[in-house]
Amino acid sequence: MQLTALLPRAVRRKAGVLCLVLIVGLLSSLVSLVTPQPAHAAESTLGAAAKQSGRYFGVAIASGRLGDSTYTSIANREFNSVTAENEMKIDATEPQRGQFNFTSADRVYNWAVQNGKEVRGHTLAWHSQQPSWMQSLSGSALRQAMIDHINGVMAHYKGKIAQWDVVNEAFADGSSGARRDSNLQRTGNDWIEVAFRTARAADPSAKLCYNDYNVENWTWAKTQAMYNMVKDFKQRGVPIDCVGFQAHFNSGSPYNSNFRTTLQNFAALGVDVAVTELDIQGASPTTYAAVVNDCLAVPRCLGITVWGVRDSDSWRSGDTPLLFNNDGSKKPAYTAVLNALNGGSTTPPPTGDGQLIKGVGSGRCVDVPNAATTDGTQVQLWDCNGRTNQQWALTDAGELRVYGNKCLDAAGTGNGAKVQIYSCWGGNNQKWRLNSDGTITGVQSGLCLDAVGAGTGNGTLIQLYSCSGGSNQRWTRA
């Protein structure tokens, strides 16, 4: 309000009127100050939606696919960060010792920056995809070759790469918590530290990351070993800035809700974290949204990169693990991710939240014994009581969820296969069809949910079996 605009009229009015006008104007100003401002508008692409929280949503790009217009159209539209899939690895950039070749790497880099994307570098020191000349080295000669390679690649991209995966996959799989027995490890246990110190000197402006897989579950030995290394590095001043979690979720390494705990605990050490190679077997919308929300819940999570554009571009194409179908169309997982990034709906809406599954022949409900939450617990029939261990939510992906994060899961595809609960990971053995005749069939097996031996009593186990139309294979939901 401008008081000068009111004065010519105010002198011809009563003072009370002027006061009223001033009061109304003051109240209007106060209301504008205390009324919550509308939230930002939802973005329509993944990169733009992630950017709202200061994060990126990136993709791995292969130089050989940059001539595919569908591929590049999706990549350019949806993502704001790029990782070269293979082009910056050791065999691609230094095919002969001391002779660097950046043709393919530069093609990916140039495409990215010309389209306004930041670039992650992947990877400088790794036991795999070494050229033959490096594989033939050992001891001090291999150590020096590693140092020279880091210096050569980082000099070429100095000041241009946002994050470098300096060392990749240095820990062994399994429960030992040991380092991987690689030629680099055999040069001495300090090889990772040397790689990071070399990288810092080569490009002080880049974030330096350690990157690995099967380290998302906080309880696993490999995760704890990586954590202890990062903790030691931070305590001793070894220059490590971030930790990358590849997040290749599948039946052997399923998503676990403690992934958020893992991210939080690493961030608490004083490093940034990132999801660097995300793909999820079966592309469960719920699991994709959960990963996004885990990143959003940790302030030091820099962003997420999916490992490929369409399923046909994936290194695991048979698992259909990405956000786009082969023809470039968006999958339900895409919508779940976009909604999560926009702060909206984070999981596919259940078509029946918390319903009981009651056997027609028994009148008893599908029940998790003793309200167990352990993966592999076989479900049974039990008197219907409506408790959480009998509440099954059907998602749009065809999962039957209990406790919110455990799925009804077939442990096999043959007659007699155990039906159990298992952490949801999006596989077809966790997807079900609810048929009009009351049967429930497994998407993977085509077999029916069956009460063993046509049993009707408490404790009767549930299995898969060839569909026969019996009352022990028919169910109602209420």
Side-chain angles (χ1 to χ4, degrees):
M1 173 187 293
Q2 294 183 4
L3 184 59
T4 54
L6 291 176
L7 284 177
R9 293 197 296 272
V11 295
R12 298 191 297 271
R13 295 178 180 177
K14 294 180 180 179
V17 176
L18 176 58
C19 290
L20 179 61
V21 172
L22 290 171
I23 290 169
V24 170
L26 179 59
L27 287 174
S28 297
S29 299
L30 289 173
V31 168
S32 68
L33 288 173
V34 301
T35 301
Q37 298 302 304
H40 50 69
E43 295 290 350
S44 60
T45 64
L46 302 174
K51 189 176 180 180
Q52 295 173 125
S53 65
R55 292 170 173 81
Y56 60 81
F57 202 93
V59 65
I61 290 294
S63 63
R65 291 189 171 93
L66 289 176
D68 181 333
S69 60
T70 302
Y71 180 89
T72 54
S73 176
I74 296 170
N76 190 26
R77 180 187 74 226
E78 295 290 342
F79 304 102
N80 58 353
S81 173
V82 162
T83 302
E85 192 167 342
N86 289 294
E87 291 78 0
M88 292 187 183
K89 292 176 181 175
I90 308 168
D91 56 351
T93 52
E94 195 178 359
Q96 302 296 326
R97 187 171 187 179
Q99 298 178 17
F100 291 89
N101 185 335
F102 297 104
T103 302
S104 294
D106 282 351
R107 188 179 184 203
V108 174
Y109 175 84
N110 291 335
W111 181 89
V113 297
Q114 287 164 9
N115 288 286
K117 326 292 184 189
E118 70 173 27
V119 180
R120 293 192 76 256
H122 176 80
T123 179
L124 295 168
W126 189 25
H127 70 276
S128 185
Q129 289 186 240
Q130 294 178 359
S132 58
W133 67 264
M134 181 174 280
Q135 295 175 36
S136 68
L137 300 178
S138 61
S140 59
L142 177 59
R143 175 68 65 87
Q144 188 59 51
M146 178 194 76
I147 293 170
D148 293 344
H149 178 79
I150 294 171
N151 283 325
V153 175
M154 294 192 78
H156 181 77
Y157 290 110
K158 187 172 184 179
K160 299 177 179 179
I161 300 292
Q163 306 166 38
W164 269 110
D165 291 332
V166 177
V167 173
N168 198 45
E169 301 174 1
F171 286 91
D173 292 320
S175 59
S176 69
R179 293 275 186 90
R180 181 188 297 274
D181 180 25
S182 69
N183 61 350
L184 291 169
Q185 178 64 28
R186 291 190 291 273
T187 69
N189 202 55
D190 65 338
W191 75 275
I192 301 177
E193 177 177 344
V194 170
F196 274 89
R197 292 192 184 280
T198 302
R200 174 65 88 229
D203 187 353
S205 66
K207 285 184 181 290
L208 308 181
C209 307
Y210 176 80
N211 192 56
D212 217 324
Y213 67 95
N214 283 1
V215 287
E216 294 78 20
N217 189 317
W218 177 244
T219 67
W220 286 0
K222 189 174 181 180
T223 310
Q224 293 299 311
M226 183 173 77
Y227 176 85
N228 289 332
M229 180 192 74
V230 175
K231 182 179 180 180
D232 171 63
F233 280 9
K234 293 300 291 183
Q235 289 173 341
R236 294 193 295 109
V238 178
I240 183 170
D241 304 309
C242 45
V243 176
F245 298 83
Q246 293 183 16
H248 295 298
F249 292 119
N250 54 61
S251 56
S253 179
Y255 169 80
N256 189 291
S257 59
N258 70 21
F259 183 37
R260 185 175 303 187
T261 299
T262 303
L263 296 176
Q264 291 169 332
N265 287 341
F266 275 87
L269 293 177
V271 293
D272 293 327
V273 294
V275 179
T276 55
E277 302 181 24
L278 178 62
D279 48 29
I280 299 172
Q281 187 174 10
S284 163
T286 306
T287 306
Y288 259 109
V291 173
V292 172
N293 283 315
D294 289 340
C295 179
L296 293 175
V298 179
R300 294 199 72 153
C301 185
L302 300 170
I304 295 170
T305 298
V306 289
W307 207 247
V309 178
R310 306 159 297 191
D311 286 338
S312 55
D313 306 312
S314 171
W315 68 300
R316 301 166 54 200
S317 58
D319 291 338
T320 61
L322 296 175
L323 300 176
F324 295 88
N325 292 306
N326 294 350
D327 63 1
S329 59
K330 299 171 183 176
K331 298 164 78 169
Y334 171 92
T335 303
V337 167
L338 185 63
N339 286 341
L341 291 170
N342 277 323
S345 172
T346 57
T347 58
T351 57
D353 190 17
Q355 291 183 298
L356 305 178
I357 301 175
K358 183 183 292 188
V360 170
S362 66
R364 291 189 165 90
C365 283
V366 176
D367 172 283
V368 184
N370 303 312
T373 59
T374 304
D375 285 348
T377 301
Q378 187 168 7
V379 296
Q380 63 180 6
L381 290 180
W382 200 263
D383 292 332
C384 299
N385 54 43
R387 294 178 183 145
T388 56
N389 62 319
Q390 295 184 352
Q391 298 271 344
W392 300 92
L394 176 65
T395 71
D396 283 350
E399 301 161 326
L400 284 165
R401 289 189 167 232
V402 66
Y403 311 134
N405 65 349
K406 299 290 182 180
C407 277
L408 193 68
D409 175 288
T413 58
N415 282 338
K418 180 171 74 168
V419 176
Q420 60 189 3
I421 61 166
Y422 208 88
S423 298
C424 299
W425 61 274
N428 284 336
N429 67 315
Q430 295 186 343
K431 296 177 182 177
W432 305 88
R433 293 190 181 96
L434 278 60
N435 305 308
S436 59
D437 63 357
T439 59
I440 299 176
T441 52
V443 168
Q444 183 183 62
S445 67
L447 302 181
C448 275
L449 202 66
D450 175 284
V452 172
T456 59
N458 281 337
T460 299
L461 296 175
I462 306 298
Q463 63 180 0
L464 288 181
Y465 214 84
S466 299
C467 300
S468 64
S471 61
N472 66 317
Q473 293 185 348
R474 290 186 287 116
W475 311 87
T476 62
R477 297 175 68 236

